[in-house]
Amino acid sequence: MAGAQDKTVLVVDDEPNVREYLAQILRDAGFHVLTACDGEEALEIIRRDRPDFISLDLVMPKKSGHKLLYEIRKDKELARIPVVIVTAHAQDELGRSDFREVMASRVISGPGVYLEKPVKPLDYVRCVQRALGIEETKEVEDKIGLQEELKQQLAKAEPHALRRALESLKKKNPTDG
């Protein structure tokens, strides 16, 4: 059975911080990740490197996720690549009409075909794993859960507590610098 390390996911989002956030979640889960900032760049990557899965923002400059999705579905070789739409605009003026059209036309259908931003890291990873037939392991769940808990604690921590935690981690991992 193929694992995450055997699969490539293309993350397409015009917002650099969102794109890197989503890419890092997938890297942490063991996937090989490619990124694109718009539909035009994504199409070049898809044709050149044929990802196993595509995470697609809906509202982007140049070529929207909506237009890219239609192009992918028209190409017999690319049409089978699973896609999840990751958007903050399914219900607002920016993306509502495109989202409704995509869903109504059945160009993408089934459970787990879109996620609302901000995405929960574990939900995101599970969506990709399910689409690719990858076993959902407790190890990935634990790692992502611990990372999220750590981020929440870091956001609330006082500087002196952060210093102590960093010193403690450096002592336990002296080769990390």
Side-chain angles (χ1 to χ4, degrees), residues 69-76 79:
L69 187 56
Y70 276 98
E71 276 192 57
I72 292 169
R73 294 302 187 236
K74 284 192 293 185
D75 184 316
K76 288 183 183 195

Side-chain angles (χ1 to χ4, degrees), residues 32-146:
H32 175 67
V33 180
L34 302 171
T35 62
C37 63
D38 59 51
E40 287 181 4
E41 182 181 18
L43 192 56
E44 290 175 22
I45 291 169
I46 292 165
R47 288 190 170 134
R48 183 184 65 230
D49 296 321
R50 189 75 45 90
D52 298 293
F53 187 90
I54 301 169
S55 171
L56 183 61
D57 187 17
L58 195 59
V59 178
M60 296 182 293
K62 294 186 182 178
K63 183 181 300 228
S64 70
H66 169 250
K67 289 180 182 172
L68 176 62
L69 187 56
Y70 276 98
E71 276 192 57
I72 292 169
R73 294 302 187 236
K74 284 192 293 185
D75 184 316
K76 288 183 183 195
E77 290 194 25
L78 304 178
R80 292 185 171 207
I81 300 172
V83 175
V84 65
I85 294 172
V86 181
T87 185
H89 302 293
Q91 306 304 323
D92 70 17
E93 292 302 314
L94 281 174
R96 183 182 309 128
S97 64
D98 284 350
F99 181 76
R100 285 183 180 162
E101 184 180 330
V102 165
M103 298 310 282
S105 68
R106 312 287 266 160
V107 72
I108 189 169
S109 62
V113 294
Y114 91 96
L115 296 170
E116 288 273 348
K117 291 178 185 175
V119 298
K120 293 179 181 163
L122 187 58
D123 292 346
Y124 186 56
V125 170
R126 292 294 190 233
C127 176
V128 177
Q129 289 173 322
R130 287 179 191 128
L132 295 174
I134 295 172
E135 182 181 359
E136 299 175 23
T137 64
K138 182 85 170 111
E139 180 183 334
V140 169
E141 184 177 333
D142 288 346
K143 182 177 182 180
I144 291 172
L146 287 170

